[in-house]
Amino acid sequence: MNTGTLGPYKRVWAQFYKAALFELDSDKVSDRIAEAETALVTRARELFHSAGDNVEEEQAVDDAMYALHALRSALKCRPNEKNTFQDLAA
């Protein structure tokens, strides 16, 4: 496996990805997802233009993008917590 020539910063996308997955503040989740997607797209472009065997990281980037897409879709389908509470109280 090629460790690449970009040094320790090549997996910065993973930090943004984890921040999106584990964000507890529902008002910030969409922003965290957008930040992670930006970092992932940037890294995917770097990998596309780099020489060497980066198959494992390329797959990890793809998997992370799919997971973020699923998270975003799940959030869209989730009922608004405030509205749900008001409906129960009525």
Side-chain angles (χ1 to χ4, degrees), residues 2-13 43 46 54 57:
N2 181 7
T3 58
T5 58
L6 297 174
Y9 301 105
K10 73 176 192 168
R11 290 215 174 199
V12 170
W13 64 264
R43 184 59 183 150
E46 291 171 353
N54 298 305
E57 188 177 4

Side-chain angles (χ1 to χ4, degrees), residues 44-90:
R45 287 181 183 150
E46 291 171 353
L47 291 170
F48 180 78
H49 294 293
S50 69
D53 179 18
N54 298 305
V55 175
E56 289 180 21
E57 188 177 4
E58 289 171 358
Q59 185 62 52
V61 167
D62 286 345
D63 291 347
M65 285 296 280
Y66 282 114
L68 290 175
H69 179 74
L71 177 59
R72 187 183 299 278
S73 295
L75 292 173
K76 287 180 183 178
C77 295
R78 185 176 76 178
N80 186 335
E81 294 171 12
K82 293 175 185 172
N83 291 341
T84 303
F85 180 73
Q86 290 172 354
D87 292 342
L88 292 174

